[in-house]
Amino acid sequence: MVGRKSRIAVMVSGGGTNLQALIDAQGKVLMDGEIVLVIANNAKAYAITRAKEAAIPSKVILKKELGSQDAFEEAILKTLADYQIDLIILAGFMTILSGDFTKRYENRILNVHPSLIPKYCGDGFYGLKVHEAVLAAGESVTGATVHYVNEITDGGQIIMQKEVKVEPGDTPESLQKRVMEQAEWMILPMAAQMVSERLRKEREDECI
Ligand code: GAR
């Protein structure tokens, strides 16, 4: 293989189990990309500890401190440029990014969502709320989706999906855990590899 790996920034807000799955996939499923930066919008996110343990630089960028969405996005864009990021992965990043931001990285931002999009997605559907809605509707199957991010919340092109069974007696927490274990932690590294490989090939073609 010629050329360098795609440089990945993972953006997080919380526990960071999806970040961990990506870290663990490096050199295995994730061959054409390397995580060179973690950005958190929450200083208490356990994901920051995971980054530190893996010796990956992390930055905390807080909207509250910067005062506006514009200033927040500007600070993120500057950090991404400083680290020459090729691919952004939203892994439990609980803030909506504007269309101006997503256009700057068209087809280079991925998000993992804990449902089978187009079901249970869009504004207001995040984290446990998704699983609560799935249980309230009496679904027998749910799952997770990795998709490109554009200006429509959870509306970008779907890259990969995996179904997961809803079991009798499930709580939102037990369902969240199964969807993570059986879907998110598997398809996110696979999708990250697909896109890292595409970007790597595009860079190589540009050099010819
Ligand atoms: C994951 O289930 C992820 O799919 C979800 O938040 C959780 C983050 O967990 N994301 C969304 O709901 C985005 N709409 P993690 O911090 O342990 O990866």
Side-chain angles (χ1 to χ4, degrees), residues 14-19 91-94 111-114 125-127 130-131 154 176 180 184:
T17 63
N18 279 288
L19 167 65
F93 186 67
M94 299 303 186
N111 179 48
V112 61
H113 183 78
F125 283 110
Y126 57 88
V130 175
H131 305 293
D154 299 326
Q176 179 181 53
M180 283 176 158
E184 296 185 47

Side-chain angles (χ1 to χ4, degrees), residues 79-108:
T79 310
L80 295 171
D82 287 348
Y83 281 80
Q84 297 173 292
I85 296 303
D86 301 303
L87 170 62
I88 303 167
I89 301 181
L90 308 184
F93 186 67
M94 299 303 186
T95 294
I96 304 293
L97 295 165
S98 72
D100 283 343
F101 184 104
T102 58
K103 255 184 244 134
R104 301 280 286 270
Y105 284 85
E106 203 174 4
N107 294 327
R108 293 194 296 145

